[in-house]
Amino acid sequence: MSQPIYCISGLGADEQIFSNLQLPGYDLVCIKWLQPERRESFADYAKRMYGQIEDSNPIVLGVSFGGMLGIEIAQQFPVKKLILISSVKTKNELPLWMRLAGKIRLHQLVRARPHPLFYPIENYFLGVKEKEEVELAIHFRKTVDRDFLQWAIHNIVTYSNVIIPDNILHIHGTADKLFPLRNVNVHYKIKGGGHFMVYNKADEISRILCSELEAVK
């Protein structure tokens, strides 16, 4: 029987972001983003998201904002292994501009909404170049809920965590422009990997995960 890995996609993404991972013996179970409740804290939201996990000691894999949520889940519930890809563990790993934006509440002055005019800039930060990747990124932008997007951006730029779980595995790209590697302490570096690397560097990431997961069977 395959062991489940509970996957949390990045901001605005869905289960398609994990479609290129190849992990024999494991079943990738994507946790779906829930609609935030009014004035819901990140901790309370993580508790509701955990309700989709059926194992008492799960393996959790989070990408980008999904990794930040994975950290919050691991602080409230036991997890066998927490895997972060293209993410940050603490507020100090956020780039300075995000921390400053959170302090001055810049995100509250501008309503977040995807617009084609900004797609090239966003693709640059995501590390998206190939036609298939660009189309997937556009799909994510068109399907993301605007209220959820605003809530998530708030929780990213005001992220306050300083605790790092012991059983964590962090994989990061050397070319990540959203969360630059220079700010982040990681276990594995993917050469040339950008913020979208769970999709376009899936072969290399899959090899690392297969090796590391042998130790937690």
Side-chain angles (χ1 to χ4, degrees), residues 118-181:
F118 300 111
Y119 286 1
I121 298 173
E122 293 168 355
N123 290 342
Y124 169 80
F125 278 97
L126 289 174
V128 169
K129 298 178 182 178
E130 301 299 326
K131 181 180 178 181
E132 181 183 5
E133 301 162 9
V134 171
E135 290 176 350
L136 186 58
I138 291 174
H139 163 73
F140 291 155
R141 295 182 186 109
K142 289 183 175 180
T143 56
V144 67
D145 180 86
R146 291 180 181 178
D147 290 335
F148 170 80
L149 181 62
Q150 194 75 24
W151 175 87
I153 290 174
H154 168 77
N155 280 284
I156 292 171
V157 299
T158 62
Y159 191 53
S160 60
N161 180 61
V162 294
I163 300 172
I164 302 175
D166 293 331
N167 55 345
I168 197 168
L169 171 67
H170 195 160
I171 306 172
H172 211 82
T174 61
D176 195 310
K177 295 179 177 64
L178 197 61
F179 295 143
L181 180 63

Side-chain angles (χ1 to χ4, degrees), residues 43-201:
D44 288 344
Y45 183 84
K47 188 178 298 183
R48 284 204 297 131
M49 288 285 283
Y50 181 79
Q52 299 181 61
I53 295 177
E54 298 180 355
D55 289 25
S56 59
N57 194 31
I59 299 173
V60 177
L61 187 159
V63 173
S64 191
F65 182 52
M68 298 164 74
L69 182 72
I71 292 278
E72 189 60 46
I73 286 175
Q75 290 181 1
Q76 299 186 52
F77 305 97
V79 298
K80 182 183 294 186
K81 192 73 174 180
L82 175 60
I83 302 164
L84 266 60
I85 299 176
S86 306
S87 188
V88 296
K89 300 180 291 297
T90 69
K91 65 178 183 179
N92 297 319
E93 292 186 339
L94 286 173
L96 179 60
W97 70 267
M98 286 191 188
R99 284 180 277 155
L100 290 175
K103 284 184 178 180
I104 66 175
R105 295 296 192 264
L106 181 63
H107 60 290
Q108 294 179 352
L109 301 178
V110 181
R111 186 69 178 173
R113 59 179 62 190
H115 192 284
L117 183 64
F118 300 111
Y119 286 1
I121 298 173
E122 293 168 355
N123 290 342
Y124 169 80
F125 278 97
L126 289 174
V128 169
K129 298 178 182 178
E130 301 299 326
K131 181 180 178 181
E132 181 183 5
E133 301 162 9
V134 171
E135 290 176 350
L136 186 58
I138 291 174
H139 163 73
F140 291 155
R141 295 182 186 109
K142 289 183 175 180
T143 56
V144 67
D145 180 86
R146 291 180 181 178
D147 290 335
F148 170 80
L149 181 62
Q150 194 75 24
W151 175 87
I153 290 174
H154 168 77
N155 280 284
I156 292 171
V157 299
T158 62
Y159 191 53
S160 60
N161 180 61
V162 294
I163 300 172
I164 302 175
D166 293 331
N167 55 345
I168 197 168
L169 171 67
H170 195 160
I171 306 172
H172 211 82
T174 61
D176 195 310
K177 295 179 177 64
L178 197 61
F179 295 143
L181 180 63
R182 63 179 178 272
N183 300 326
V184 187
N185 294 316
V186 301
H187 300 97
Y188 288 94
K189 302 173 184 178
I190 304 296
K191 186 175 181 180
H195 202 66
F196 218 67
M197 70 175 188
V198 71
Y199 187 81
N200 56 29
K201 297 279 187 180

